Amino acid sequence: MLKYGDKIGIVCCSNGQKSTYTEKIKYLENTLIDIGLQPVFSDCIYEKESIFSGTAAERANALMKFYKDDEIKGIFDISGGDVANGILPYLDYDVIASSSKMLWGYSDLTTVINAIYKKTGKASVLYQVRNLIYEYKEQQIENFKNTIMHHENDLFNINYKFIQQGKMHGIVVGGNIRCFLKLAGTEYMPELTDKILLLESFEGTVAKMETYLCQLGQIGAFDKVAGIILGTFTEMETEKCIPTIETLVKKIVGKDLPIAITSDIGHGTNSKGIIIGQEINFDYFR
């Protein structure tokens, strides 16, 4: 996907980075340089007013600048939070559709990468590049380099097991459950028919997850999708919540829909990536 010496754009479409994160961002920059890439940072990285690194239009323009720049070969968002969906009306989807570069981001970027798929048919990667500097950095760097430089599949080779049925095939949509639901009722919500719905979460225990799952059911999601992948639900797992997320999902979707679980996708610093807008084929007999 990338080669040594390529320039990559670094953006913050959601909450801006705090000024106290300067050293970490510099560490990330140096890590990417060591890998062989040339990171170019947008003008909307750090908080300027409240949690905003710029207005929604400014943050969108910062992203589009990289899409329009032929020297930029990939775009990586380093943010998370709450405000990424504000940029959606300001994006030029025709430009994105004609571009070969991919956007990488996680959490609140669920809104942007699913909107891009809906509007353009283009795939994006659910992955946080800041994982390259955290606890599992050695393995993350190895997986990242092997995947983007050497065309291996290490970063996307996820372990999973079925907890219901035993096979699923389709294009993956979704991501963070809270953020994905921001798209409900908007022009940016992907069509769910025959899709594989990926769901994961950082914050929220039983009450919030029940609410989100009920909303997905009420918009007809579970009547349309061909299967569900459950990533990690960090707070649910940390608090050892009962009922578990698996129990909640089974209760709401019934017995016929395939469900697979994986600990490789989510907010953990050991998380791998998954491509939103690309087909997957999960089989019990993998």
Side-chain angles (χ1 to χ4, degrees):
M1 297 174 66
L2 296 171
K3 62 181 185 297
Y4 288 99
D6 277 350
K7 290 183 179 180
I8 58 171
I10 307 296
V11 295
C12 269
C13 294
S14 190
N15 297 31
Q17 299 293 297
K18 296 181 182 298
S19 60
T20 53
Y21 294 173
T22 304
E23 289 187 9
K24 289 182 179 179
I25 302 305
K26 185 64 178 178
Y27 184 22
L28 175 62
E29 179 182 10
N30 291 335
T31 298
L32 291 167
I33 291 171
D34 289 342
I35 287 171
L37 301 172
Q38 298 183 50
V40 180
F41 287 79
S42 83
D43 294 329
C44 297
I45 295 293
Y46 293 99
E47 293 178 346
K48 297 174 182 176
E49 181 180 353
S50 182
I51 50 87
F52 302 101
S53 62
T55 66
E58 288 170 341
R59 286 177 280 126
N61 288 337
L63 176 58
M64 291 311 309
K65 181 179 178 180
F66 287 141
Y67 271 110
K68 295 173 183 177
D69 186 343
D70 291 338
E71 291 190 348
I72 299 296
K73 304 304 181 183
I75 307 171
F76 295 82
D77 188 284
I78 59 172
S79 67
D82 297 290
V83 298
N85 62 330
I87 76 170
L88 299 182
Y90 301 101
L91 298 180
D92 189 329
Y93 295 99
D94 290 335
V95 170
I96 296 172
S98 65
S99 174
S100 61
K101 61 195 73 175
M102 297 180 78
L103 175 65
W104 298 55
Y106 88 147
S107 194
D108 200 33
L109 267 291
T110 294
T111 57
V112 180
I113 62 182
N114 280 277
I116 285 174
Y117 172 67
K118 167 63 184 297
K119 289 290 192 176
T120 72
K122 294 288 186 178
S124 302
V125 184
L126 190 77
Y127 179 76
Q128 176 51 262
V129 73
R130 285 187 284 115
N131 286 345
L132 300 177
I133 66 171
Y134 294 145
E135 181 181 1
Y136 299 93
K137 59 186 178 182
E138 291 84 3
Q139 187 63 58
Q140 289 282 6
I141 290 170
E142 182 179 352
N143 290 344
F144 186 80
K145 286 178 66 175
N146 287 345
T147 300
I148 69 165
M149 300 289 197
H150 305 305
H151 306 286
E152 302 293 339
N153 199 45
D154 298 20
L155 195 63
F156 304 127
N157 184 21
I158 66 175
N159 293 309
Y160 61 86
K161 69 175 182 179
F162 279 90
I163 60 171
Q164 187 161 285
Q165 302 297 328
K167 181 182 290 188
M168 65 174 75
H169 173 79
I171 293 173
V172 180
V173 297
N176 180 269
I177 186 171
R178 174 182 68 87
C179 300
F180 186 64
L181 280 167
K182 296 180 188 181
L183 302 179
T186 75
E187 64 186 276
Y188 308 108
M189 183 68 161
E191 169 56 48
L192 297 179
T193 302
D194 296 327
K195 302 298 191 300
I196 304 301
L197 180 58
L198 168 69
L199 300 173
E200 59 84 26
S201 180
F202 179 62
E203 294 180 337
T205 53
V206 172
K208 284 185 179 179
M209 294 309 118
E210 174 79 2
T211 298
Y212 299 151
L213 292 168
C214 285
Q215 185 180 357
L216 283 167
Q218 290 160 11
I219 64 173
F222 301 132
D223 296 325
K224 297 177 180 178
V225 298
I228 297 171
I229 302 172
L230 297 177
T232 57
F233 285 71
T234 306
E235 189 173 1
M236 286 278 290
E237 294 162 14
T238 300
E239 298 296 326
K240 296 181 171 56
C241 290
I242 301 295
T244 64
I245 188 65
E246 293 89 347
T247 300
L248 291 175
V249 171
K250 283 183 175 182
K251 176 187 69 173
I252 290 174
V253 308
K255 297 180 179 180
D256 297 328
L257 195 61
I259 303 171
I261 60 173
T262 177
S263 60
D264 286 343
I265 301 296
H267 277 66
T269 56
N270 62 336
S271 292
K272 293 186 175 183
I274 191 167
I275 301 177
I276 302 298
Q278 181 170 291
E279 289 187 4
I280 59 99
N281 187 15
F282 278 12
D283 194 300
Y284 183 81
F285 298 105
R286 179 186 181 191

